[in-house]
Each structure stands twice: as C-alpha cells, then as structure tokens.
Amino acid sequence: MIGRAAALVLGAGLVLGACSDAADSLDTSATERAVERVVEPRLVAEVDEVTCPSPITRGDGETVTCRAVLADDGGSARVRVIQRGDGDQVDVELLDAVVERSEVGRQLHEALVATYARSFTVDCGADEVVVAAPGTTITCTATDDGGRREVTATVADATGTLSFDLGGG
C-alpha cells in the first residue's frame, strides 16, 4: 500500500443527513459532502470537491459514480457510491488509487536493492500525486554503476498496491 492510499470500502454504512424533497432521489449536494468527508482523510492529496451526477435515483443497491476532484490540479479519482436500505446509508468505494510518485520511487528503490544487492538512484517524475486506475503503469528511471534503465511500476488495485517489472539482471 502506498502512503495513506484509500481502502476499497471507505465508509460502509455512511449515513446521509439529507434527502431531496422528491422521495425517489437523494439530495446530490448532501451526498457529495458526505462522500468528501469520507474520502479526503484517506487520500494523499486534498480534495477540492466531490461531484456526483444529478439526480441520484433512490433505492437499495442503486449505484452512482462520483468524482473526487483533487487540489492543485491533481486530477480526479472515481468513487462508487452504493445505496443501502432506503438510501439513507451508502457504501463509498474508491475506484482509482491516488499515489505519490516519491513513494513509488521509494518502493522501487527498495525492490531494486533487494533484488540486485547494489545501490540505485530512482526517478519517477516530478508530479507529486498520480490518480491511477488499477492496471495503470508508471515509468521510472533507475540508475546504478552499470547504467540507466526504465522500470515499470503497475498499480495493482485501488489501494495503491504496486508491482514492478525489474527486467533482466
């Protein structure tokens, strides 16, 4: 797991405080505020806002995909909101990992040293955070006395678990 990356289910049973006047939909603004309160503390970046489609149809098992828009042009992460019961409770599931490039570099450095038993300098880019769906790759450069090579980190899941393709020896 990377830094404070979010767990898959962030707020099982999150209770929404407000419903819309129409009994067949949820209050979109209240849902967005509730999702932001759950998602932001679990990410490595500040959330500017959460946006959900409107209207949100009320009903047990109804699902909507919202976006957590990150501060400082950090992109946006997809968030699935699943209603439970009559829609007054929702489960919040992060669909994209939010990872820090510096943490990717740190983990890659550890993997290279453990595999090759020598020192490396690793560069995974200047951007502070990356929003990445599972399966997304991040290319880094690893340098040692033997030269320079590109190494690929793959985001395995929405919690930010990484795997590395270290290539040949």
Side-chain angles (χ1 to χ4, degrees):
M1 190 161 113
I2 295 199
R4 292 179 9 197
L8 282 179
V9 176
L10 300 173
L14 174 67
V15 177
L16 297 177
C19 300
S20 69
D21 291 334
D24 59 346
S25 65
L26 297 181
D27 181 320
T28 302
S29 294
T31 302
E32 291 168 342
R33 287 188 305 272
V35 169
E36 183 173 350
R37 284 191 308 270
V38 171
V39 170
E40 184 171 49
R42 292 169 170 86
L43 297 179
V44 296
E46 184 178 330
V47 175
D48 273 347
E49 68 177 339
V50 171
T51 60
C52 298
S54 185
I56 301 173
T57 304
R58 176 186 289 275
D60 186 39
E62 287 289 329
T63 302
V64 64
T65 300
C66 301
R67 291 212 167 260
V69 180
L70 305 180
D72 302 322
D73 298 322
S76 64
R78 296 171 301 144
V79 180
R80 180 178 297 140
V81 178
I82 306 165
Q83 296 177 49
R84 300 290 173 226
D86 62 4
D88 287 335
Q89 293 187 0
V90 295
D91 291 341
V92 178
E93 178 183 2
L94 192 62
L95 300 175
D96 297 317
V98 179
V99 297
E100 295 175 295
R101 286 185 178 270
S102 62
E103 181 63 16
V104 175
R106 187 192 66 72
Q107 287 189 30
L108 173 56
H109 180 264
E110 287 179 2
L112 287 166
V113 169
T115 300
Y116 297 110
R118 60 183 185 260
S119 183
F120 287 84
T121 301
V122 175
D123 180 6
C124 293
D127 294 335
E128 189 169 314
V129 297
V130 176
V131 177
T136 298
T137 59
I138 300 169
T139 302
C140 302
T141 303
T143 307
D144 68 354
D145 290 338
R148 178 183 203 142
R149 73 173 86 181
E150 284 193 352
V151 181
T152 302
T154 302
V155 177
D157 55 35
T159 66
T161 303
L162 297 172
S163 64
F164 300 100
D165 179 3
L166 301 180

